[in-house]
Amino acid sequence: MSDADQTRQDPTEVHEQPDTEGEQLPTPGDERSVTSEMDEKPDHGEDSYVGHDRLLDQVAVITGGDSGIGRAVALAFAREGADVVIAYLDGEDDDAEETRRIVEDAGRRCVLVPTDLVQEEACQALVDRAVEDFGRIDILVNNAAYQMAQPGGIADITTEQLDRVMRTNVYAMFWLCKMALPHMVPGASIINTSSIQSSSPSPELLDYATTKAAIVNFTRGLAQSIAEKGIRVNAVAPGPIWTPLIPATMPPEKVESFGEQTPMGRAGQPAEVATAFVFLASPESSYITGEVIAVTGGGPVTM
């Protein structure tokens, strides 16, 4: 166990608004659109998260697990005792390798799967890889997402962009749940990443917000249909969280003020979201299904 594993976060610690100054990254999938290129690095819990064997010897598949919230979840799951399979977008190998290092430093296995989940066969290949390497899936985290802010709203959202957002955020989730369920047993858990955008949509993110509302509805419907199998389905709805997706998909003026509109007056950090995923994956939430946990800095999610 590393020194970082021994460190407990001070519960009185105050997070400050990231000093972003409108920084920009290339679009997702570019080899320069990675965490190491950010001027203000996110906090994934490297020096703060302490595990307590809540997920000992479980197998988790995490999409979008190379950076941002996905990396923080992978770190937390590993320190809780889980092995992880991480799907990430081709070209973001530097982030993926850093996440693997973090997981392996916690003494757990990490399988990296570079892929684009907009195709059904890619989703099947991801599930097949997890089953081939570990024999089962205990936790499925549908976290991969695509967004691209369009200041002109619906007039500027092309059919091509709409199709990519829908396929990444909704189709892949649908396919992966359908494909993973035969390899899950009672006690397993599915956790989908929604957003505060599901109930408070921004005009420039209309397509993205639409998918996040769909994720809430899908989560509740699937939870009802498989509850008798002993498999729980829940969602986490983050507010503004500082990840590489923000400077890669938003204009500089939006990046500079990102998160200031929340009651807490700042963007959240990935480490502040990961604990919700741990709770929903663990036996501590055994009587919770079809629920949405908001991690928004005070912004309500009312769906």
Side-chain angles (χ1 to χ4, degrees):
M1 183 177 290
S2 69
D3 290 340
D5 296 331
Q6 309 267 355
T7 305
R8 182 178 300 277
Q9 186 174 12
D10 182 349
T12 64
E13 178 182 352
V14 176
H15 291 267
E16 297 181 352
Q17 173 71 3
D19 184 16
T20 64
E21 296 185 355
E23 68 172 281
Q24 294 285 280
L25 291 179
T27 56
D30 189 291
E31 63 182 10
R32 294 170 297 143
S33 186
V34 292
T35 307
S36 60
E37 296 291 329
M38 298 176 73
D39 294 332
E40 182 74 23
K41 304 295 189 298
D43 175 13
H44 308 95
E46 291 93 338
D47 298 325
S48 60
Y49 193 88
V50 179
H52 296 88
D53 292 339
R54 292 181 179 92
L55 307 175
L56 190 60
D57 295 329
Q58 295 199 36
V59 176
V61 175
I62 306 170
T63 68
D66 59 306
S67 64
I69 292 172
R71 178 185 290 183
V73 172
L75 180 156
F77 279 12
R79 292 187 184 176
E80 294 291 355
D83 296 317
V84 298
V85 178
I86 290 174
Y88 68 97
L89 200 59
D90 286 307
E92 297 179 354
D93 302 276
D94 287 351
D95 267 348
E97 289 295 340
E98 174 61 15
T99 302
R100 172 154 60 185
R101 183 194 66 78
I102 290 169
V103 170
E104 292 179 346
D105 281 353
R108 306 308 305 189
R109 290 180 61 189
C110 181
V111 175
L112 300 181
V113 182
T115 187
D116 192 342
L117 298 172
V118 298
Q119 300 298 328
E120 187 172 1
E121 56 268 27
C123 294
Q124 186 64 65
L126 174 61
V127 170
D128 290 345
R129 178 66 187 276
V131 174
E132 177 184 346
D133 281 34
F134 295 103
R136 69 188 194 281
I137 297 172
D138 299 308
I139 308 162
L140 171 62
V141 176
N142 288 302
N143 173 69
Y146 183 84
Q147 73 171 39
M148 185 59 66
Q150 298 293 356
I154 193 170
D156 290 346
I157 297 172
T158 64
T159 299
E160 180 183 19
Q161 176 174 314
L162 176 65
D163 187 55
R164 178 163 186 81
V165 171
M166 290 289 179
R167 283 181 166 272
T168 304
N169 301 4
V170 178
Y171 281 38
M173 173 188 64
F174 183 95
W175 289 327
L176 286 169
C177 288
K178 183 177 181 179
M179 295 164 181
L181 276 169
H183 307 286
M184 305 179 90
V185 299
S189 178
I190 296 172
I191 309 170
N192 302 317
T193 303
S194 181
S195 168
I196 193 172
Q197 290 287 327
S198 65
S199 63
S200 301
S202 301
E204 66 270 18
L205 293 173
L206 181 59
D207 51 348
Y208 174 83
T210 300
T211 66
K212 293 303 179 175
I215 288 169
V216 170
N217 195 276
F218 176 85
T219 296
R220 290 173 174 162
L222 184 61
Q224 292 182 58
S225 68
I226 65 173
E228 64 181 11
K229 299 179 182 294
I231 300 171
R232 297 179 298 108
V233 189
N234 292 289
V236 177
I241 306 298
W242 182 240
T243 74
L245 191 64
I246 304 311
T249 64
M250 288 188 170
E253 64 275 11
K254 291 286 187 180
V255 174
E256 189 167 0
S257 62
F258 185 67
E260 291 179 356
Q261 77 278 14
T262 67
M264 294 185 72
R266 66 173 177 85
Q269 292 293 336
E272 297 179 282
V273 186
T275 50
F277 286 85
V278 171
F279 171 66
L280 291 174
S282 74
E284 295 172 357
S285 60
S286 59
Y287 199 54
I288 299 175
T289 194
E291 188 56 81
V292 180
I293 294 182
V295 186
T296 62
V301 176
T302 56
M303 288 189 69

